Amino acid sequence: MMHEDKFDRGSALTIFKSDRHEDLTALALALVIALLVYLFI
């Protein structure tokens, strides 16, 4: 059975070198958006 060395998420649309940086940036952005929605609505 062959297995891939690198996990492929099926998406090449990224501006980051690593998935961890992308995930942390997305998390931070989501928290900022949630905070703005909480404050202004």
Side-chain angles (χ1 to χ4, degrees):
M1 179 177 175
M2 293 176 57
H3 73 280
E4 298 288 329
D5 290 334
K6 184 174 185 299
F7 177 69
D8 182 18
R9 294 179 306 158
S11 173
L13 299 175
T14 179
I15 60 175
F16 299 98
K17 294 291 186 184
S18 73
D19 290 341
R20 180 162 295 170
H21 282 146
E22 185 178 3
D23 293 339
L24 290 176
T25 302
L27 178 62
L29 187 60
L31 290 174
V32 168
I33 291 172
L35 181 62
L36 290 175
V37 169
Y38 177 75
L39 291 176
F40 288 105
I41 292 181

